[in-house]
Each structure stands twice: as structure tokens, then as C-alpha cells.
Amino acid sequence: QVQLVESGGGLVQPGGSLRLSCAASGSIFSINVMGWYRQAPGKEREFVATISSGGSTNYADSVKGRFTISRDNAKNTVYLQMNSLKPEDTAVYYCNVRNPSYDYWGKGTQVTVSL
């Protein structure tokens, strides 16, 4: 059984920073894509960023230049460094790990950007 546990969410003022972490436990084949998605109240879940096991990254236009995704393959952990946060970044952030054989999701961590 694979579990993804996110951490690092919280309340931050506009312009502030947060770092999200997602640790995968269980049997995960090393070749995969790890990523972050988010869902704001009343909206559908949307793509934020992904990183392949080889280190290739992709970002949503809305976060380019502000967010950085990284991973530690030895620890099966993916990170999301979020800088210059805006109120519109407020959402529940979900971790995802997938490859052609599986697709796992975490339970999410709340990020709130407000004064």
C-alpha cells in the first residue's frame, strides 16, 4: 500500500513563502512523475508543477518564476518551494505520483495566503 503524506501548508501573508513536502511510503517504482496540484474553493483541481525522475520540470503559467519543484529520489519525496505568494494561490495542495502502472494522490494540505 502506497501512502503520500503532505506537510508544510499553513497561513502566510501575501509576498511570503512556504515549502511543501510530500513523502511517499510503500513500494514505488523509481521511474515516475511526481507533482503538485491544487484546488481552490468552488474550482476544479488544477495542475501546478511536475518533475520526472530524471529531473525534467513543468510549471503552470500562473506559478512560473515563483514556485520551484524538486525531488529527492532516495527519500521518495517531492518538494514545492513557493515564493511571492498571492491570495489567488490559496487552495488545498495535493501531491501526486504516477507512472503507467499507478497513480497515487495525497490527502492534501491547506495553503492560505491572506493578511
Side-chain angles (χ1 to χ4, degrees), residues 7-10 18-22 36 78-82 93 109-111:
S7 60
L18 283 175
R19 188 190 193 213
L20 306 183
S21 300
C22 173
W36 292 93
V78 62
Y79 307 95
L80 186 68
Q81 178 66 44
M82 305 185 293
Y93 283 69
T109 184
Q110 176 70 46
V111 171

Side-chain angles (χ1 to χ4, degrees), residues 36-38 45-48 50 92-94 96 98 105:
W36 292 93
Y37 294 75
R38 66 187 182 187
R45 190 173 298 187
E46 65 176 8
F47 162 75
V48 176
T50 56
V92 177
Y93 283 69
Y94 296 91
N96 172 256
R98 70 176 191 275
W105 290 88

Side-chain angles (χ1 to χ4, degrees), residues 5-113:
V5 179
E6 300 106 332
S7 60
L11 173 64
V12 64
Q13 293 185 352
S17 298
L18 283 175
R19 188 190 193 213
L20 306 183
S21 300
C22 173
S25 62
S27 180
I28 295 234
F29 188 54
S30 60
I31 299 176
N32 55 48
V33 175
M34 305 184 83
W36 292 93
Y37 294 75
R38 66 187 182 187
Q39 187 167 18
K43 295 185 177 181
E44 294 189 352
R45 190 173 298 187
E46 65 176 8
F47 162 75
V48 176
T50 56
I51 183 167
S52 72
S53 49
S56 297
T57 58
N58 283 291
Y59 295 93
D61 288 343
S62 59
V63 307
K64 280 182 181 177
R66 300 187 298 122
F67 291 10
T68 302
I69 190 170
S70 60
R71 64 188 284 169
D72 184 333
N73 291 331
K75 296 181 179 179
N76 281 333
T77 299
V78 62
Y79 307 95
L80 186 68
Q81 178 66 44
M82 305 185 293
N83 298 328
S84 302
L85 282 161
K86 305 174 181 180
E88 51 263 44
D89 294 319
T90 296
V92 177
Y93 283 69
Y94 296 91
C95 174
N96 172 256
V97 179
R98 70 176 191 275
N99 77 4
S101 299
Y102 58 75
D103 185 2
Y104 299 116
W105 290 88
K107 293 183 178 180
T109 184
Q110 176 70 46
V111 171
T112 302
V113 184

